[in-house]
Amino acid sequence: MNILIVNGPNLNLLGRRDPAHYGTATMEEILEALRAEYPDDDIDYYQSNHEGDLIDRLHEAGYDPAAECDGIVLNAGGYTHTSVALADAVEAIGLPVIEVHLSRVAAREPERRCSLLGAVCRGTIAGLGPAVYTLAVEALHRLR
Ligand code: DQA
């Protein structure tokens, strides 16, 4: 499968940022383990701290035939809780999108308990650390 992982704001700091919530693994380490576990998949990665760039990347995955994307794993970071525009983009592209969060957002501050993406994503996996990315890729396989 051709899978795109999209990470939103501040997730470029994984491994250095708030390890109590997000652990100590860097995204490079997470991706290396993921690609080793799914060697037959083409796993592309995109991260941006900018809402519009994330939306543009989702549009490209959904509408550019050259992208040949089969599914997306999306950790939108803080935009999860605020961005109607990102939710609109997920809804618009018609690809299966799995929402992931490293931390258990349901057990955190009230503003993190609401996801604007939950209703438009195919499923949500949260609170299991880096394994959420692996489980989301597995979910995309099973949904095929
Ligand atoms: C996060 C949870 C969000 O609330 C937070 O803003 C993040 C990371 C997570 O992976 O647990 O940046 O999406």
Side-chain angles (χ1 to χ4, degrees):
M1 286 182 80
N2 292 331
I3 292 172
L4 172 64
I5 309 230
V6 177
N7 272 355
N10 302 305
L11 291 162
N12 53 312
L13 299 178
L14 276 184
R16 290 182 284 165
R17 169 196 181 204
D18 192 357
H21 279 119
Y22 306 120
T24 53
T26 65
M27 197 59 204
E28 288 68 32
E29 290 165 345
I30 293 171
L31 284 170
E32 197 182 323
L34 196 52
R35 288 180 176 130
E37 201 152 349
Y38 291 89
D40 296 332
D41 284 358
D42 189 345
I43 299 178
D44 199 3
Y45 175 62
Y46 180 77
Q47 189 275 332
S48 175
N49 294 318
H50 305 280
E51 189 176 21
D53 290 343
L54 294 165
I55 291 168
D56 286 345
R57 189 66 186 85
L58 292 177
H59 289 179
E60 188 186 321
Y63 287 102
D64 181 351
E68 291 182 2
C69 182
D70 299 309
I72 296 174
V73 177
L74 174 62
N75 185 347
Y79 287 140
T80 303
H81 319 293
T82 62
S83 179
V84 172
L86 199 53
D88 285 347
V90 169
E91 194 168 32
I93 59 174
L95 287 171
V97 179
I98 308 292
E99 174 189 5
V100 299
H101 301 286
L102 292 147
S103 66
R104 198 154 55 96
V105 280
R108 296 184 62 189
E109 306 94 309
E111 65 271 21
R112 291 185 206 275
R113 294 183 202 154
C114 163
S115 166
L116 299 184
L117 300 176
V120 291
C121 286
R122 186 67 179 74
T124 301
I125 301 170
L128 303 167
V132 297
Y133 290 96
T134 316
L135 293 169
V137 168
E138 182 59 31
L140 288 171
H141 274 264
R142 289 178 185 226
L143 287 169
R144 258 209 133 175

